[in-house]
Every structure is written in structure tokens, then in C-alpha cells.
Amino acid sequence: MMKRTGKVLLIYTGGTIGMGRNPQTGALEPLDFDHLASEMYEFRYLKASFDTYQFTPPIDSSDISPRQWAQLVRIIADRYEEYDGFVILHGTDTMAYTASALSFMLENLTKPVILTGSQLPIGQLRTDGKENLITSIELAADAHDDGTPMVPEVCIYFNGKLIRGNRSTKIAADGFNAFDSFNYPVLCHAGVNFVYHEHHILKPDYTQPMVPHTAMDPHVLVFSLFPGIDESVFQHRNTVVWQWQCPPTTVVVAIVQRSLGARHHRGEHQPMRKRYRGDEPLRHRLSTAKHRCHQRSRQYGRSSSDQTDVSASPLHRRQHHPHDDEPQSGRRGDDIRSPTPTHPRGGNV
């Protein structure tokens, strides 16, 4: 029987969901999410209680970086035993990137980490934020009879669908159905009831601990093939494109090539692949082909339809960086607090 705490940690990083309109200027500005949460009477009916952790200042999702990903990993790892699950409120522009990165940085994750947000601020009349937030908390607290979580992996919840984080893609900037998972089935449909598709959900090893990783390497080159691309772009390091993507002083640790089709990497561009593979600065570097279709089943190269896309994690792990030990912004330790009024501790949702 897995020990349950009846608590979820709500991590507010920023994004539209926590914005409010300034009555004087009419501009959207970040709100104090603790105060906002305390004003939502719907939270009183949740069976699970929750604490909040707020980034100070909130981060625009377009400014997210591996530094913030490492910070999220540390927040979760430091409080891993205190909560049954974690909900991360995040801007939608880069939510899929963060979900994908966290899925690799939280090795052998045995608890839910659910990212969500909204297309309209939570204080507006037609907001989608309340449903996304409340349902995410319920999903993060839900468990089997033996106490193990229903969805022990990194996910995105949006508009009635819980999808695997590293298979997610933002598909709409205006509609509420903002995310989809083209190459992997939905993990749970949230309607009148939660309908879990358990044969698609990861099964971690509960006998082993979760292993956090915070060191990442951004020296990865991603490029797309297109009809007519000239291999001279990769033959000469003094070309404008090459200098922009890969300065001479940069050590490239990996190349992700986005191809046009399953057979394309064996066609006319194969000599170009061999050439840059054998180029001295790129010697011993990994080259991977990825199909650009949203839906596919053919396997080729190093990508497989039943494995995580290599392109979903373009940042490969490295050893250590001096900045990894620098203090991060955001409230720490004793700054975590429960919203007011205090919510009753309940059983499983």
C-alpha cells in the first residue's frame, strides 16, 4: 500500500491563467495567485487539499529556459514525499517544451506532474482556467485502491484531455482545445467521469526512487530539410546560416534532422548526411532523422512510434555547469503555504 498525504502542490510559474486586467490601463498584469486561489469558492469542494508555490516574479512562457526547468525539478524533488502529486501552472506558448523536458529530467517518476494553463485569465467571465485548474488538481490526487497514482507521469491537461507531456503539441492560439497528442493516445478523457486509458499510461518501478536531473546541454542543432536544400550550407562553416546556428567556438553534441518522409533520409540528401557526419567539428556527434508529419506510424532512423521522440528532448544531459548551483528566483521552503480558507484533508478523489 503506497502512503498517501491527501495533498497536492500547486506551482504557479506564470502565464495567462494568473493574469488580471488593470482597471486603469486595461492591460493584463500578473496577479497574486495565492489571493486569487483563496477567492475561488470552488476549491472548498475539492477532496484533496493543496499548497501553493509562486514564482516571483512570474515568468512569461516565452522566456522559459533550462534554468527554470532545473528549478522546477528541484522544487518537486525537495518536496517529493510531502505531496501525492504536482500541478504546474504555465503559459501555453512553451508548455509542451516544459512538459517534454521534465519528462526526461524526472527519471522513474512515480507521481503525477500535470501542467495546465488557460487561454483566458482565470478572473474573466468565460475563462477556461477554472475547469483546467480544478480538474488538474483532481487528476493529480486520484489513485488506485492500493494508493498508487492513476497517472504517474508528466502530462498536460487541457479542455477535457490528459495527454502525455512529451507527445504534446500546441495546435491553437485562440480556441480552448489548445493541445493535442498526434502520435500517442489520450491518457484520460475528463467528462462527467474520468475515463482512464490505463494500457497507455506509464508503469514506473515503485521499488526504486525518483532520480532528478538538473544538468542540461543546449548545444544541439535542429534543422529541417526541404526540397532543394544545398549541401554547401553544411560543407562550409563560414556560411551565414552555419555561423548563425553553430559558431566556430561551439561544440555541437547532437544534431536533430527534420526530414520530409520515411524514405527521405535514404534519398538524394544521404551524401549530405554522410558529409556532415564525417566533418571534423561534428565527428562523433549524433544525427537523428525525424518525420515532420503530425501523424505517422512508420519507423525509421532512431525514432520509433512506441518510444519517446528524440526531438521531444532536444537538450541532452551533461555533467555540471557552474550556474546549476546558483540560487533561483521564487519562494523557497517556508514560503510555501496553504491558501485561505484551509481546505479539508480528504481521501482519494
Side-chain angles (χ1 to χ4, degrees):
M1 188 73 177
M2 189 171 180
K3 181 182 178 181
R4 306 288 295 176
T5 66
K7 296 175 61 179
V8 171
L9 180 60
L10 180 63
I11 305 171
Y12 174 58
T13 67
T16 300
I17 192 169
M19 304 291 280
R21 196 170 296 280
N22 187 308
Q24 280 76 37
T25 65
L28 290 176
E29 298 177 351
L31 299 174
D32 182 348
F33 201 82
D34 291 327
H35 173 73
L36 190 63
S38 67
E39 295 297 316
M40 290 181 59
Y41 70 90
E42 295 92 340
F43 286 157
R44 303 173 186 176
Y45 301 104
L46 287 172
K47 295 181 181 179
S49 62
F50 66 91
D51 296 335
T52 59
Y53 182 107
Q54 182 170 327
F55 275 35
T56 305
I59 300 171
D60 188 295
S61 66
S62 62
D63 295 327
I64 204 75
S65 72
R67 181 76 63 86
Q68 284 76 42
W69 295 341
Q71 181 180 354
L72 285 169
V73 169
R74 282 189 285 265
I75 292 169
I76 293 171
D78 291 346
R79 300 155 181 87
Y80 197 68
E81 301 302 326
E82 302 175 30
Y83 300 95
D84 294 333
F86 303 85
V87 174
I88 300 174
L89 300 180
H90 197 287
T92 60
D93 288 341
T94 55
M95 187 185 296
Y97 289 89
T98 298
S100 180
L102 292 180
S103 73
F104 291 93
M105 299 171 77
L106 298 168
E107 183 180 344
N108 194 45
L109 183 67
T110 57
K111 296 184 178 183
V113 175
I114 301 176
L115 287 84
T116 194
S118 67
Q119 298 288 62
L120 288 175
I122 201 167
Q124 290 196 10
L125 185 62
R126 294 181 54 250
T127 182
D128 54 328
K130 286 187 178 182
E131 191 277 326
N132 286 346
L133 175 54
I134 291 171
T135 304
S136 294
I137 294 174
E138 290 188 322
L139 288 167
D142 207 357
H144 296 97
D145 292 338
D146 63 357
T148 57
M150 295 298 298
V151 189
E153 58 176 290
V154 179
C155 307
I156 286 179
Y157 177 78
F158 229 89
N159 196 40
K161 294 187 297 185
L162 184 70
I163 60 179
R164 176 162 292 174
N166 56 36
R167 296 288 183 156
S168 61
T169 301
K170 185 176 180 181
I171 61 172
D174 297 325
F176 290 154
N177 188 31
F179 290 88
D180 206 347
S181 175
F182 293 104
N183 286 314
Y184 200 80
V186 172
L187 303 181
C188 176
H189 285 92
V192 175
N193 300 300
F194 291 159
V195 180
Y196 293 100
H197 308 291
E198 296 197 41
H199 52 295
H200 296 309
I201 298 173
L202 286 177
K203 303 298 188 293
D205 185 352
Y206 289 103
T207 66
Q208 299 298 319
M210 188 274 290
V211 181
H213 299 275
T214 58
M216 305 287 282
D217 196 332
H219 298 132
V220 177
L221 176 65
V222 181
F223 74 94
S224 299
L225 292 179
F226 56 87
I229 187 173
D230 196 313
E231 65 176 291
S232 63
V233 171
F234 301 93
Q235 287 180 357
H236 305 293
R237 291 177 60 84
N238 60 350
T239 60
V240 175
V241 174
W242 186 266
Q243 289 180 353
W244 176 74
Q245 296 193 61
C246 182
T249 57
T250 300
V251 177
V252 178
V253 299
I255 297 176
V256 178
Q257 172 184 293
R258 306 180 70 216
S259 67
L260 299 177
R263 298 181 182 274
H264 190 258
H265 67 294
R266 297 194 296 269
E268 64 176 273
H269 296 293
Q270 183 67 9
M272 184 177 69
R273 287 170 54 83
K274 290 181 179 179
R275 186 178 297 275
Y276 70 69
R277 268 184 164 177
D279 190 17
E280 180 64 25
L282 298 181
R283 191 158 48 92
H284 306 309
R285 308 306 184 212
L286 170 67
S287 178
T288 302
K290 179 191 180 294
H291 202 299
R292 273 182 280 177
C293 292
H294 282 161
Q295 297 181 355
R296 67 176 177 86
S297 59
R298 187 187 299 272
Q299 300 179 14
Y300 66 99
R302 294 177 182 264
S303 181
S304 169
S305 60
D306 60 352
Q307 295 178 348
T308 301
D309 261 339
V310 175
S311 65
S313 180
L315 301 180
H316 291 231
R317 295 173 192 150
R318 56 180 168 78
Q319 291 302 312
H320 184 77
H321 191 280
H323 293 305
D324 292 334
D325 294 327
E326 291 183 359
Q328 303 294 323
S329 62
R331 298 173 182 167
R332 307 292 297 176
D334 55 357
D335 288 324
I336 292 183
R337 54 193 182 279
S338 298
T340 304
T342 302
H343 303 289
R345 286 173 172 265
N348 299 333
V349 176

